[in-house]
């Protein structure tokens, strides 16, 4: 069975509850429930909805709450930069620090199931990162200590030879597991 929708084609496999939405941007395979909202993404941004959207009926064969929570709980990596460095260092240098921390956190946890999922070939082009900021060095150190005491694996990047803590990045986690640690921080702008 196929329906034409504004963002591409929708295919439904009733026996498995699997739906596929094909669009020019990417292919998504998800198990869906009752109704699924499908929106067209703008060409400029993968995260901003475009002008058209439609509602498409989908399979109701599997309404398991656990599966529904899995679909909604995206794997995310948090990167936290220091605002004082953003204001005083060249932008490229600060971005580089965040890249160092991100790669280090992923590589150090390359065998972790969430990291494997986050970096899988099916998801490599749709990673979710949240980039936040703290005021300065005391705040980044305090956040690192808070994450450590909560058992949240992360990398506090210390730039050498200056020995300056510049940023931190978590390993990939389901958002529901780590978002509470970051709810008071501002998005980096």
């Amino acid at each position: 069975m196929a329906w034409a929708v504004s963002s591409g084609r929708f295919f439904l496999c009733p026996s498995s509850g699997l739906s596929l939405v094909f669009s020019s941007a990417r292919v998504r395979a998800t198990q869906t429930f009752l109704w699924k909202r499908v929106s067209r993404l703008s060409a400029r941004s993968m995260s901003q909805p475009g002008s058209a959207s439609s509602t498409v009926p989908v399979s109701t064969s599997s309404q398991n709450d656990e599966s529904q929570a899995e679909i909604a709980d995206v794997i995310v990596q948090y990167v936290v930069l220091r605002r004082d460095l953003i204001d005083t260092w060249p932008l490229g240098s600060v971005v580089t620090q965040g890249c160092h921390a991100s790669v280090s956190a992923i590589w150090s946890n390359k065998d972790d199931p969430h990291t494997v999922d986050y970096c899988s070939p099916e998801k490599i082009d749709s990673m979710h990162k949240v980039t936040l900021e703290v005021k300065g060095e005391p705040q980044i150190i305090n956040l690192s200590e808070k994450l450590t005491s909560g058992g949240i694996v992360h990398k506090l990047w210390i730039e050498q030879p200056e020995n300056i803590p510049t940023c931190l990045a978590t390993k990939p986690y389901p958002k529901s597991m780590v978002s509470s640690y970051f709810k008071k921080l501002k998005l980096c702008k």
Side-chain angles (χ1 to χ4, degrees):
M1 241 178 221
W3 293 277
V5 294
S6 62
S7 63
R9 280 218 179 261
F10 178 82
F11 294 90
L12 177 66
C13 178
S15 62
S16 68
L18 183 68
S19 64
L20 299 173
V21 178
F22 293 88
S23 72
S24 60
R26 60 179 152 168
V27 177
R28 288 182 297 153
T30 60
Q31 186 172 9
T32 53
F33 308 90
L34 298 176
W35 294 91
K36 178 169 178 69
R37 187 105 176 131
V38 179
S39 67
R40 185 183 335 198
L41 298 176
S42 76
R44 291 185 203 151
S45 172
M46 297 278 301
S47 63
Q48 299 299 318
S51 58
S53 66
S54 61
T55 304
V56 181
V58 295
S59 172
T60 59
S61 63
S62 175
Q63 296 181 354
N64 182 328
D65 289 336
E66 187 177 307
S67 295
Q68 196 171 16
E70 258 181 47
I71 291 168
D73 202 8
V74 66
I75 305 287
V76 65
Q77 182 180 40
Y78 283 89
V79 178
V80 182
L81 305 173
R82 285 177 43 188
R83 179 82 245 172
D84 63 330
L85 297 182
I86 294 169
D87 293 336
T88 57
W89 287 19
L91 179 60
S93 296
V94 177
V95 170
T96 299
Q97 298 301 302
C99 293
H100 288 332
S102 176
V103 170
S104 180
I106 287 175
W107 184 254
S108 298
N109 296 281
K110 64 184 175 288
D111 297 324
D112 175 83
H114 294 133
T115 303
V116 170
D117 184 37
Y118 185 77
C119 296
S120 68
E122 302 82 34
K123 295 183 180 179
I124 197 74
D125 291 329
S126 60
M127 293 180 185
H128 290 83
K129 281 189 179 44
V130 178
T131 305
L132 305 168
E133 63 182 49
V134 294
K135 287 183 180 181
E137 185 173 336
Q139 291 79 16
I140 198 103
I141 291 170
N142 184 40
L143 178 60
S144 178
E145 290 169 355
K146 192 176 183 184
L147 293 172
T148 300
S149 68
I152 303 301
V153 178
H154 66 285
K155 173 63 178 181
L156 175 63
W157 188 260
I158 311 286
E159 182 62 11
Q160 296 300 330
E162 298 88 356
N163 206 33
I164 300 171
T166 58
C167 60
L168 68 76
T170 65
K171 78 168 192 67
Y173 277 103
K175 188 173 184 177
S176 65
M177 289 179 67
V178 293
S179 62
S180 63
Y181 291 92
F182 302 99
K183 65 183 175 188
K184 293 182 181 178
L185 301 181
K186 291 188 216 176
L187 284 173
C188 185
K189 294 181 182 181

